Every structure is written in C-alpha cells, then in structure tokens.
Amino acid sequence: MEAQDHSLLIVEDDVDLAEMLNAYFRAQGYQVTVVHWGEDALQACASIHPALVILDIRLPDIDGYEVARRLRENRRTNTIPIIFLTDRRSRADRLQGLELGADDYITKPFDMQELRLRVRNSLQRFSKGTQVNPVTELPEGSSVDERLQ
C-alpha cells in the first residue's frame, strides 16, 4: 500500500498544527487537504471523498463529534476512517468519539510517528475490508475480482 494512493483530510482549527500535519503527511507521499471548520470538512468529504479524516473536536462552528455523526449518517461518507486528534482527554470524550464510529482517538500532545503509523494502519484495515461502492452499496474492487477468479 503506497501512501500516494491515499488522500487525507485534516480538520484542525489551529493553523500552525494544521500546517505542520500538512507538511509532514505530504512529505510521506499523501495527498492532503486541510480545512479549519466542521462544515468545510463535511463539504470536502462529499466532494473529494478522502481515504481518511484526521479530525479535531474543538472547531469554530460545529464540533468534531457532530462532523463524525454526519459523516456516519451519510451513505457516501459512512465508511471513511476517522481518527480524532484532540486535546480532550477525558474518558467520556474518548468513549463518545469511539461510539460515533471513530477508528482511533489520539490526544494532544501526540507523537508524530505514532500518528503516522495509526493513519497507515487504519488505511490498511480499510483497504482490506469489504469493498462496497458508497453509492450503489454493491461489492466492488479486489473482492469481486477474487471471486470471479
């Protein structure tokens, strides 16, 4: 699995942190889009359909929980892996994020190498999972090819 095959959406209102993440993941070969608002994240997911979303909880308009909830309710975006990256550390916050269907929950400050590996692992798990077309909800991709063989 090559990083350049994947696009990441980073949703972070801290401009310095967003730029650091953008530069780091671009250097790793990912295609990166950065937005700073929750509503912009929803629009970006609908238009570019990223391979994975790195999502802060504290955003200026709607919070990351609401973004995750709406992504999971939409059949076109409900399978996009979500990693929360936030300063909210309480057990209740972590549980709420995971209950909404997040694939991972990382608290700030964080280790960049650990985040990179968690992104890679989430993308690998997702690509190995059942491949279903988000519009038709019919199987597609390598699972169909394997079955036909």
Side-chain angles (χ1 to χ4, degrees):
M1 164 167 304
E2 297 294 320
Q4 49 268 39
D5 294 341
H6 296 294
S7 61
L8 302 179
L9 175 64
I10 296 172
V11 187
E12 173 61 60
D13 65 327
D14 178 328
V15 177
D16 292 334
L17 177 56
E19 187 49 43
M20 181 186 70
L21 291 169
N22 181 19
Y24 179 80
F25 280 107
R26 281 185 187 277
Q28 299 296 315
Y30 291 92
Q31 298 171 359
V32 181
T33 302
V34 175
V35 297
H36 306 289
W37 298 72
E39 291 290 348
D40 292 342
L42 295 169
Q43 290 174 2
C45 283
S47 63
I48 65 172
H49 202 77
L52 183 138
V53 176
I54 297 174
L55 179 60
D56 191 9
I57 292 173
R58 296 180 201 262
L59 298 170
D61 53 353
I62 58 174
D63 68 21
Y65 294 136
E66 182 62 21
V67 173
R69 185 176 299 107
R70 290 189 198 175
L71 290 175
R72 290 298 180 243
E73 289 173 352
N74 183 325
R75 68 184 173 137
R76 293 182 150 202
T77 60
N78 66 5
T79 60
I80 299 172
I82 298 170
I83 296 178
F84 278 114
L85 180 63
T86 182
D87 59 358
R88 297 184 67 171
R89 303 175 150 269
S90 78
R91 178 178 184 269
D93 286 323
R94 289 192 315 272
L95 292 176
Q96 183 175 355
L98 295 171
E99 281 179 6
L100 287 169
D103 297 86
D104 212 337
Y105 192 104
I106 302 170
T107 57
K108 299 173 187 173
F110 61 96
D111 179 273
M112 190 63 88
Q113 296 296 325
E114 180 181 353
L115 175 61
R116 179 183 62 80
L117 292 172
R118 288 176 183 251
V119 165
R120 185 201 68 189
N121 293 348
S122 288
L123 289 170
Q124 285 178 342
R125 273 193 309 277
F126 179 73
S127 70
K128 290 178 184 173
T130 304
Q131 296 176 343
V132 176
N133 183 294
V135 176
T136 66
E137 296 183 3
L138 296 172
E140 67 178 7
S142 60
S143 61
V144 173
D145 295 340
E146 289 173 13
R147 186 71 168 190
L148 290 173
Q149 295 293 335

